[in-house]
Coordinates of all heavy atoms in Angstrom, one line a residue:
V15 N 38.1 -34.5 45.2 CA 38.8 -33.3 45.6 C 39.5 -32.7 44.4 O 39.6 -31.5 44.2 CB 39.7 -33.5 46.8 CG1 40.5 -32.3 47.1 CG2 38.8 -34.0 48.0
R16 N 40.2 -33.5 43.6 CA 41.0 -33.1 42.5 C 40.1 -32.2 41.5 O 40.6 -31.3 40.9 CB 41.6 -34.3 41.8 CG 42.6 -33.9 40.7 CD 43.3 -35.2 40.2 NE 44.5 -35.5 41.1 CZ 44.6 -36.6 41.7 NH1 43.8 -37.6 41.6 NH2 45.7 -36.8 42.5
H17 N 38.8 -32.5 41.5 CA 37.9 -31.8 40.6 C 37.3 -30.6 41.2 O 36.5 -29.9 40.5 CB 36.9 -32.8 40.0 CG 37.4 -33.7 39.0 ND1 38.0 -34.9 39.4 CD2 37.4 -33.6 37.7 CE1 38.4 -35.5 38.3 NE2 38.1 -34.8 37.2
C18 N 37.6 -30.2 42.4 CA 37.2 -29.0 43.0 C 37.9 -27.8 42.4 O 39.2 -27.9 42.2 CB 37.4 -29.0 44.5 SG 36.9 -27.5 45.3
R19 N 37.2 -26.8 42.0 CA 37.8 -25.6 41.3 C 38.9 -24.9 42.1 O 39.7 -24.2 41.5 CB 36.8 -24.7 40.8 CG 36.1 -23.9 42.0 CD 35.1 -23.0 41.5 NE 35.7 -21.9 40.7 CZ 35.0 -20.8 40.3 NH1 33.7 -20.8 40.5 NH2 35.6 -19.9 39.6
W20 N 38.9 -25.0 43.4 CA 39.8 -24.3 44.3 C 41.1 -25.0 44.4 O 42.1 -24.5 44.9 CB 39.2 -24.0 45.6 CG 37.8 -23.4 45.4 CD1 36.6 -23.9 45.8 CD2 37.5 -22.1 44.9 NE1 35.6 -23.1 45.5 CE2 36.1 -21.9 44.9 CE3 38.3 -21.0 44.4 CZ2 35.5 -20.8 44.5 CZ3 37.6 -19.9 43.9 CH2 36.2 -19.8 44.0
V21 N 41.2 -26.3 44.1 CA 42.3 -27.2 44.4 C 43.3 -27.1 43.2 O 43.0 -27.4 42.1 CB 41.9 -28.6 44.7 CG1 43.0 -29.5 44.9 CG2 40.9 -28.6 45.9
D22 N 44.6 -26.8 43.6 CA 45.6 -26.8 42.6 C 46.4 -28.1 42.5 O 46.9 -28.6 41.5 CB 46.6 -25.7 42.8 CG 45.9 -24.3 42.7 OD1 45.4 -24.0 41.6 OD2 45.9 -23.6 43.7
E23 N 46.6 -28.7 43.7 CA 47.4 -30.0 43.8 C 46.8 -30.9 44.8 O 46.2 -30.4 45.8 CB 48.8 -29.7 44.2 CG 49.7 -28.9 43.2 CD 51.0 -28.5 43.8 OE1 51.5 -29.3 44.7 OE2 51.6 -27.5 43.4
V24 N 46.8 -32.2 44.6 CA 46.4 -33.2 45.6 C 47.5 -34.0 46.0 O 48.3 -34.5 45.2 CB 45.2 -34.0 45.0 CG1 44.9 -35.2 45.9 CG2 44.0 -33.2 44.8
V25 N 47.7 -34.2 47.3 CA 48.7 -35.2 47.9 C 47.9 -36.4 48.3 O 47.1 -36.3 49.3 CB 49.4 -34.5 49.1 CG1 50.3 -35.6 49.7 CG2 50.2 -33.3 48.6
E26 N 48.1 -37.5 47.6 CA 47.5 -38.7 48.0 C 48.2 -39.4 49.1 O 49.4 -39.2 49.3 CB 47.4 -39.7 46.8 CG 46.6 -39.1 45.6 CD 46.6 -40.1 44.4 OE1 47.1 -41.2 44.5 OE2 46.0 -39.7 43.4
D27 N 47.5 -40.2 49.9 CA 48.0 -40.9 51.1 C 48.8 -39.9 52.0 O 49.9 -40.1 52.4 CB 49.0 -42.0 50.6 CG 49.4 -42.9 51.8 OD1 48.7 -42.9 52.8 OD2 50.4 -43.6 51.6
A28 N 48.1 -38.8 52.3 CA 48.6 -37.7 53.2 C 48.8 -38.3 54.6 O 48.0 -39.1 55.0 CB 47.7 -36.5 53.2
P29 N 49.8 -37.8 55.3 CA 50.0 -38.2 56.7 C 49.0 -37.7 57.7 O 48.4 -36.6 57.4 CB 51.4 -37.7 57.1 CG 51.5 -36.4 56.2 CD 50.8 -36.8 54.9
W30 N 48.7 -38.4 58.7 CA 47.8 -38.0 59.7 C 48.3 -36.8 60.5 O 47.6 -35.9 60.9 CB 47.4 -39.2 60.7 CG 46.3 -38.9 61.6 CD1 46.3 -38.6 62.9 CD2 44.9 -38.9 61.2 NE1 45.1 -38.4 63.4 CE2 44.2 -38.5 62.4 CE3 44.2 -39.1 60.0 CZ2 42.8 -38.5 62.3 CZ3 42.8 -39.0 60.0 CH2 42.1 -38.7 61.2
V31 N 49.6 -36.9 60.8 CA 50.3 -35.8 61.6 C 51.3 -35.2 60.6 O 52.2 -35.8 60.0 CB 51.0 -36.4 62.8 CG1 51.8 -35.3 63.5 CG2 50.0 -37.0 63.7
I32 N 51.2 -33.9 60.5 CA 52.1 -33.1 59.6 C 53.4 -32.8 60.2 O 53.4 -32.3 61.4 CB 51.4 -31.8 59.1 CG1 50.1 -32.2 58.4 CG2 52.3 -31.0 58.1 CD1 49.2 -30.9 58.3
T33 N 54.5 -33.1 59.6 CA 55.8 -32.8 60.1 C 56.6 -31.8 59.3 O 56.1 -31.5 58.2 CB 56.7 -34.1 60.1 OG1 56.9 -34.5 58.7 CG2 56.0 -35.2 60.9
K34 N 57.6 -31.3 59.8 CA 58.5 -30.3 59.1 C 59.0 -30.9 57.8 O 59.0 -30.3 56.7 CB 59.6 -29.9 59.9 CG 60.5 -28.8 59.2 CD 61.6 -28.3 60.1 CE 62.4 -27.2 59.4 NZ 62.5 -27.2 58.0
D35 N 59.4 -32.2 57.8 CA 59.8 -32.9 56.6 C 58.7 -32.9 55.5 O 59.0 -32.7 54.4 CB 60.2 -34.3 56.9 CG 61.5 -34.4 57.7 OD1 62.3 -33.4 57.7 OD2 61.8 -35.5 58.3
F36 N 57.5 -33.1 55.9 CA 56.4 -33.1 54.9 C 56.2 -31.7 54.4 O 56.1 -31.6 53.2 CB 55.1 -33.6 55.6 CG 53.9 -33.6 54.7 CD1 53.7 -34.6 53.8 CD2 53.0 -32.6 54.8 CE1 52.6 -34.6 53.0 CE2 51.9 -32.5 53.9 CZ 51.7 -33.5 53.0
L37 N 56.3 -30.7 55.2 CA 56.1 -29.3 54.8 C 57.3 -29.0 53.8 O 57.0 -28.4 52.7 CB 56.1 -28.3 55.9 CG 55.0 -28.5 57.0 CD1 55.2 -27.6 58.2 CD2 53.6 -28.1 56.3
D38 N 58.5 -29.4 54.1 CA 59.6 -29.1 53.3 C 59.5 -29.8 51.9 O 59.7 -29.2 50.8 CB 60.9 -29.5 53.9 CG 61.3 -28.6 55.1 OD1 60.7 -27.5 55.2 OD2 62.1 -29.0 55.9
K39 N 59.1 -31.1 52.0 CA 59.0 -31.9 50.7 C 58.0 -31.2 49.8 O 58.3 -31.2 48.6 CB 58.5 -33.3 51.1 CG 58.3 -34.2 49.9 CD 57.8 -35.6 50.3 CE 57.5 -36.4 49.1 NZ 57.0 -37.7 49.4
H40 N 56.9 -30.7 50.3 CA 55.9 -30.1 49.4 C 56.0 -28.6 49.3 O 55.1 -28.0 48.7 CB 54.5 -30.6 49.9 CG 54.3 -32.1 49.7 ND1 54.1 -32.7 48.5 CD2 54.4 -33.1 50.7 CE1 54.0 -34.0 48.7 NE2 54.2 -34.3 50.0
K41 N 57.0 -28.1 49.9 CA 57.3 -26.6 49.8 C 56.1 -25.8 50.3 O 55.6 -24.9 49.7 CB 57.7 -26.2 48.4 CG 59.0 -26.8 48.0 CD 59.4 -26.4 46.6 CE 60.7 -26.9 46.2 NZ 60.8 -28.2 45.7
I42 N 55.5 -26.3 51.4 CA 54.3 -25.6 52.0 C 54.6 -24.5 52.9 O 55.5 -24.6 53.8 CB 53.5 -26.7 52.8 CG1 53.0 -27.8 51.8 CG2 52.3 -26.1 53.5 CD1 52.5 -29.1 52.5
D43 N 54.0 -23.3 52.7 CA 54.2 -22.2 53.5 C 53.3 -22.1 54.7 O 53.7 -21.7 55.8 CB 54.0 -20.9 52.6 CG 55.0 -20.8 51.5 OD1 56.2 -20.9 51.8 OD2 54.5 -20.6 50.4
Y44 N 52.1 -22.5 54.5 CA 51.1 -22.4 55.6 C 50.1 -23.6 55.5 O 49.8 -24.1 54.4 CB 50.2 -21.2 55.4 CG 50.9 -19.9 55.7 CD1 51.2 -19.0 54.7 CD2 51.3 -19.5 57.0 CE1 51.9 -17.8 54.9 CE2 51.9 -18.3 57.2 CZ 52.2 -17.5 56.2 OH 52.9 -16.3 56.4
V45 N 49.7 -24.0 56.7 CA 48.7 -25.1 56.8 C 47.4 -24.3 57.2 O 47.4 -23.6 58.2 CB 49.0 -26.1 57.9 CG1 47.9 -27.1 58.1 CG2 50.3 -26.8 57.4
A46 N 46.4 -24.5 56.4 CA 45.1 -23.8 56.7 C 44.2 -24.8 57.6 O 43.9 -25.9 57.3 CB 44.3 -23.6 55.4
H47 N 44.0 -24.2 58.8 CA 43.2 -25.0 59.8 C 42.8 -23.9 60.9 O 43.4 -22.9 60.9 CB 44.0 -26.1 60.4 CG 43.1 -27.2 61.0 ND1 42.7 -27.2 62.3 CD2 42.6 -28.3 60.5 CE1 41.9 -28.2 62.5 NE2 41.9 -28.9 61.4
D48 N 41.9 -24.3 61.7 CA 41.6 -23.4 62.8 C 42.6 -23.7 63.9 O 43.4 -24.6 63.9 CB 40.2 -23.6 63.3 CG 39.9 -25.0 63.8 OD1 40.4 -25.4 64.9 OD2 39.2 -25.8 63.1
A49 N 42.6 -22.8 64.9 CA 43.7 -22.9 66.0 C 43.4 -23.9 67.1 O 44.3 -24.2 67.8 CB 43.9 -21.5 66.6
A50 N 42.2 -24.4 67.1 CA 41.8 -25.3 68.2 C 42.6 -26.6 68.1 O 42.9 -27.1 67.0 CB 40.3 -25.6 68.1
P51 N 43.0 -27.2 69.2 CA 43.8 -28.4 69.2 C 42.9 -29.5 68.5 O 41.8 -29.6 68.8 CB 44.1 -28.7 70.7 CG 43.8 -27.5 71.4 CD 42.8 -26.7 70.6
Y52 N 43.6 -30.3 67.7 CA 42.9 -31.5 67.1 C 43.5 -32.7 67.7 O 44.6 -33.2 67.5 CB 43.2 -31.5 65.6 CG 42.3 -32.5 64.9 CD1 41.0 -32.3 64.5 CD2 42.8 -33.8 64.6 CE1 40.2 -33.2 63.8 CE2 42.0 -34.8 64.0 CZ 40.7 -34.5 63.6 OH 40.0 -35.4 63.0
I53 N 42.7 -33.2 68.7 CA 43.1 -34.4 69.5 C 42.8 -35.7 68.8 O 41.6 -35.8 68.3 CB 42.4 -34.4 70.9 CG1 42.8 -33.1 71.6 CG2 42.8 -35.6 71.7 CD1 42.0 -32.8 72.8
S54 N 43.8 -36.6 68.6 CA 43.5 -37.8 67.9 C 44.5 -38.8 68.3 O 45.8 -38.5 68.3 CB 43.6 -37.5 66.4 OG 43.5 -38.8 65.7
G55 N 44.1 -40.0 68.6 CA 45.0 -41.1 69.0 C 45.8 -40.7 70.2 O 45.2 -40.3 71.2
S56 N 47.1 -40.8 70.1 CA 47.9 -40.5 71.3 C 48.4 -39.0 71.2 O 49.2 -38.6 72.1 CB 49.2 -41.4 71.3 OG 49.9 -41.2 70.1
S57 N 47.9 -38.2 70.3 CA 48.4 -36.9 70.2 C 47.3 -35.9 70.8 O 46.1 -36.0 70.5 CB 48.6 -36.5 68.7 OG 48.9 -35.2 68.6
N58 N 47.9 -35.0 71.6 CA 47.0 -33.9 72.1 C 46.7 -32.9 71.1 O 45.7 -32.1 71.3 CB 47.6 -33.3 73.3 CG 47.6 -34.2 74.5 OD1 46.7 -35.0 74.6 ND2 48.6 -34.1 75.4
D59 N 47.4 -32.8 70.0 CA 47.2 -31.9 68.9 C 48.0 -32.3 67.7 O 49.3 -32.2 67.7 CB 47.6 -30.5 69.3 CG 47.1 -29.4 68.3 OD1 46.6 -29.8 67.2 OD2 47.4 -28.2 68.5
V60 N 47.4 -32.8 66.7 CA 48.1 -33.3 65.5 C 48.8 -32.1 64.8 O 49.7 -32.3 63.9 CB 47.3 -34.1 64.5 CG1 46.8 -35.4 65.2 CG2 46.2 -33.3 64.0
Y61 N 48.4 -30.9 65.1 CA 49.0 -29.7 64.4 C 50.0 -29.0 65.3 O 50.4 -27.9 65.0 CB 47.9 -28.7 64.0 CG 47.0 -29.3 62.9 CD1 45.7 -29.8 63.2 CD2 47.4 -29.3 61.6 CE1 44.9 -30.4 62.2 CE2 46.6 -29.8 60.6 CZ 45.4 -30.4 60.9 OH 44.5 -30.9 59.9
A62 N 50.4 -29.6 66.4 CA 51.4 -29.0 67.3 C 52.7 -28.6 66.7 O 53.1 -27.5 66.9 CB 51.6 -29.9 68.5

């Protein structure tokens, strides 16, 4: 992924569920994904 021309930064060992703390730590403005719920494990939507 690091060698893909569109990628500026890579976060290794990324969390399965994104939290506000993670967004703040990496100064992320937007998460790019579709709006459909992503059901995984005990979560009804990891992007909730």
